């Protein structure tokens, strides 16, 4: 037993709350905790206790390895037929003059901007535009694949796909199969928000419900596509809603094994219909990450999306169960900057990401979308990296 393991054993043994001690013992034995125990962690565990347990799980799975990739985003439009109360990004179709709508050629220009650069992934998400239909996006991904076959296309939330498929009169299986054959490699996890029906009715009543979201990801997994999963937290939901959300994802992962990572997304209150709701504190953020790592025992990875959380808080999260920081982004997303994130121009060079991770005493590892390791930067000289265009 190493010193870190000894510390966690002592911490659990000295826990005076019997229920929390039992949870700690289960984690040490690599046993699954129940939904009730997850709720106890939220309600009664100190941040130090939950964080130590989460870090123990993180290091058991990954040691000090912390993953990132070199990626960029394409946001085809922020015009949307839906009106989610928490959203600062979208503009209703009736007010589309306030938003943007990119043509296929404009999006291909964005892809061509990265020719010769070592990016491995393009992430495509945006508003649900009534005239950007299924065939429009099938053509887009075909053209991207034709131009750069090795670029992994991660695209379209379940919300976007649900609308596309219904409008095209395709089943979920049919639509996903066509897009997959066109070049769609995997799916992001957006649009999950909170699965509870009553909360969903208040914050995003008009878009795909929890069962529809989960079914789209189930069908994608059955086609051999991987996906991510998210949860929007820190608004009007309570701890029980969070556990219910995570439990539904954990159950689907038991069934399919198709999720790569779980990504908690912090509610930001600037410029939306929920601006009166205060944002969660950093302490609450870190506890959420910790409980997520403990509860989501069948998810290989927990990601802190640094453009949403901010680079300093994302760095801190590496001590609370997180082992992935997403990617370089290259100032190619506006979703969180428009909602008031401190990262108004979200971009990090590879050198900056590696530095961020090393400062947290972790081991930076560049990955591809499916977590195949591309390069370990543990022993890289940061000054030499900074002087090399490849890393900047």
């Amino acid at each position: 037993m190493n010193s870190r393991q000894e510390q966690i054993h002592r911490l659990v043994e000295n826990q005076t709350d019997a229920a929390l001690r039992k949870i700690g013992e289960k984690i040490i034995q690599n046993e699954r905790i129940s939904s009730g125990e997850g709720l106890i962690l939220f309600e009664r565990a100190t941040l130090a206790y939950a964080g130590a347990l989460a870090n123990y799980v993180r290091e058991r799975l990954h040691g000090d390895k912390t993953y990132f990739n070199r990626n960029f985003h394409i946001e085809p439009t922020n015009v949307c037929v839906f009106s989610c109360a928490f959203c600062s990004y979208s503009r209703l179709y009736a007010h589309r003059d306030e938003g943007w709508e990119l043509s296929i050629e404009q999006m291909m220009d964005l892809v061509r901007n990265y020719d010769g650069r070592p990016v491995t992934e393009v992430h495509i998400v945006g508003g649900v535009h009534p005239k950007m239909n299924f065939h429009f996006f099938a053509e887009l991904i075909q053209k991207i694949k034709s131009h750069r076959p090795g670029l992994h296309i991660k695209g379209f939330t379940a919300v976007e796909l649900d609308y596309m498929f219904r409008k095209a009169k395709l089943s979920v299986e049919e639509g996903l199969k066509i897009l997959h054959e066109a070049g769609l490699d995997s799916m992001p996890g957006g649009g999950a928000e909170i699965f509870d029906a009553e909360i969903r009715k208040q914050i995003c009543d008009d878009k795909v419900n929890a069962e529809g979201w989960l079914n789209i990801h189930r069908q994608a997994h059955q086609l051999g596509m991987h996906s991510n999963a998210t949860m929007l937290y820190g608004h009007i939901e309570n701890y029980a809603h969070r556990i219910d959300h995570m439990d539904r994802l954990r159950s689907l992962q038991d069934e399919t094994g198709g999720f790569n990572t779980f990504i908690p997304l912090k509610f930001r209150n600037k410029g939306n219909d929920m601006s009166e709701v205060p944002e969660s504190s950093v302490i609450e953020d870190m506890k959420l990450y910790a409980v997520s790592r403990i509860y989501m025992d069948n998810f290989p990875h927990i990601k802190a999306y640094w453009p949403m959380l901010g680079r300093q808080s994302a760095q801190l999260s590496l001590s609370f169960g997180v082992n992935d920081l997403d990617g370089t982004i290259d100032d190619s997303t506006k979703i969180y900057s428009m909602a008031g994130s401190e990262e108004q121009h979200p971009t990090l060079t590879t050198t900056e990401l590696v530095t961020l991770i090393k400062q947290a005493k972790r081991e930076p590892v560049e990955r591809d979308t499916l977590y195949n390791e591309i390069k370990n930067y543990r022993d890289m000289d940061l000054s030499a990296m900074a002087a090399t265009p490849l890393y900047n």
Side-chain angles (χ1 to χ4, degrees), residues 152-155 180 184-188 217 220-228 253 256-261 300 369-371:
H152 185 105
I153 301 175
K154 180 170 73 178
H180 189 38
L184 183 65
D185 296 302
S186 67
M187 286 171 50
H217 283 260
H221 298 170
Q222 290 173 352
L223 286 172
M225 298 169 64
H226 285 79
S227 68
N228 295 337
Q253 181 74 332
T256 68
F259 287 116
N260 282 327
T261 186
T369 305
L370 302 181
Y371 288 85

Side-chain angles (χ1 to χ4, degrees), residues 311 315 325 348 351-360:
R311 62 190 72 188
Q315 186 182 53
L325 291 183
L348 285 173
T351 302
E352 288 170 333
L353 260 174
V354 168
T355 302
L356 192 78
I357 294 166
K358 283 193 169 187
Q359 286 174 343

Side-chain angles (χ1 to χ4, degrees), residues 197-209:
E198 288 303 311
I199 297 297
R200 213 168 181 84
K201 185 175 182 179
Q202 295 178 66
I203 67 172
C204 57
D205 188 35
D206 52 355
K207 69 185 185 185
V208 66
N209 62 16

Side-chain angles (χ1 to χ4, degrees), residues 29-78:
Q29 296 299 319
N30 200 15
E31 297 176 8
R32 172 168 286 186
I33 68 169
S34 68
S35 57
E37 289 168 327
L39 197 56
I40 288 170
L41 281 175
F42 270 127
E43 293 175 341
R44 287 157 53 179
T46 64
L47 178 61
Y49 189 70
L53 293 175
N55 190 58
Y56 177 79
V57 175
R58 179 241 205 265
E59 292 182 354
R60 180 168 61 201
L61 292 170
H62 305 290
D64 285 325
K65 287 183 177 179
T66 299
Y67 295 96
F68 69 93
N69 69 341
R70 300 203 215 189
N71 64 346
F72 67 99
H73 288 223
I74 293 177
E75 296 173 355
T77 183
N78 71 333

